[in-house]
Amino acid sequence: FAAFYLYYAGGWRPAGSTNHGELVNPARPLPAASFTHPDGAAARADLFKGKWTLVYLGDGACAADCQRALWVMRQTRILLAQDMERAQRVFVVEQNCCNLAFLRAEHPGLEIAVPVEAAALLAQFPRTDAAHSIYVVDPLGNLMMRFDARQNPKGLLSDLQKLLKLSHIG
């Protein structure tokens, strides 16, 4: 009874959490934006909706930090096993597009998006240590988590598994 009272009426909440990533609080709805693929074809308008999306923002030359983040995203999605189709990977190339030979060989299925009119959308992403950041966007298009790609990738996998288990969308 005391625990129930403290939690619901007394306003006390435990300080600990089980997530490994950094929650974006409150979640930020991503505004409409337009992107193209590296070949110039328009990317689909609902790029960040319908599935859980792992997003990396970076330089298209894809140096070591970028390669590590894309590897973590690829391996995490593969390890989701039967839930793999509920998640997608998007690489938003902000400049120097693109090392396509590397991206196509190492990351099949990766959505490569070049911003056309996306300044408002890109402004929603926290830029603290962006070179090492993998962002999680929910199926409704809300930016909700940031994960440091230098950390143990099992943390991102664990967070995604919990989200997919508890979510009835995407």
Side-chain angles (χ1 to χ4, degrees):
F1 178 75
F4 180 84
Y5 176 79
L6 285 173
Y7 189 81
Y8 290 104
W12 178 80
R13 300 283 191 269
S17 65
T18 61
N19 57 299
H20 300 273
E22 172 187 330
L23 291 174
V24 175
N25 195 7
R28 300 175 186 173
L30 297 177
S34 60
F35 294 91
T36 63
H37 294 293
D39 63 4
R44 61 183 208 275
D46 62 348
L47 185 62
F48 297 104
K49 294 190 177 179
K51 292 186 177 191
W52 289 91
T53 306
L54 299 174
V55 181
Y56 180 75
L57 309 173
D59 188 286
C62 206
D65 293 336
C66 168
Q67 291 178 18
R68 166 76 179 169
L70 293 179
W71 178 83
V72 168
M73 289 168 46
R74 182 190 68 204
Q75 295 305 105
T76 299
R77 184 175 176 270
I78 290 169
L79 290 171
L80 288 173
Q82 71 269 14
D83 286 330
M84 182 170 74
E85 293 304 317
R86 294 178 64 193
Q88 66 179 348
R89 299 167 295 136
V90 176
F91 178 21
V92 177
V93 178
E94 296 185 292
Q95 58 189 350
N96 300 324
C97 188
C98 287
N99 185 350
L100 290 177
F102 165 75
L103 294 173
R104 288 187 177 140
E106 296 293 322
H107 300 283
L110 175 69
E111 285 274 349
I112 304 168
V114 180
V116 177
E117 292 181 26
L121 180 137
L122 295 175
Q124 296 300 314
F125 290 86
R127 293 306 179 126
T128 305
D129 202 17
H132 302 108
S133 295
I134 297 171
Y135 302 96
V136 179
V137 177
D138 72 17
L140 300 176
N142 298 306
L143 174 64
M144 48 100 42
M145 184 179 279
R146 185 188 83 78
F147 186 82
D148 188 330
R150 296 172 294 187
Q151 302 299 321
N152 186 340
K154 289 180 182 179
L156 177 60
L157 176 63
S158 173
D159 286 351
L160 275 177
Q161 287 172 328
K162 288 175 194 170
L163 288 169
L164 292 171
K165 180 180 177 183
L166 297 172
S167 171
H168 298 293
I169 56 174

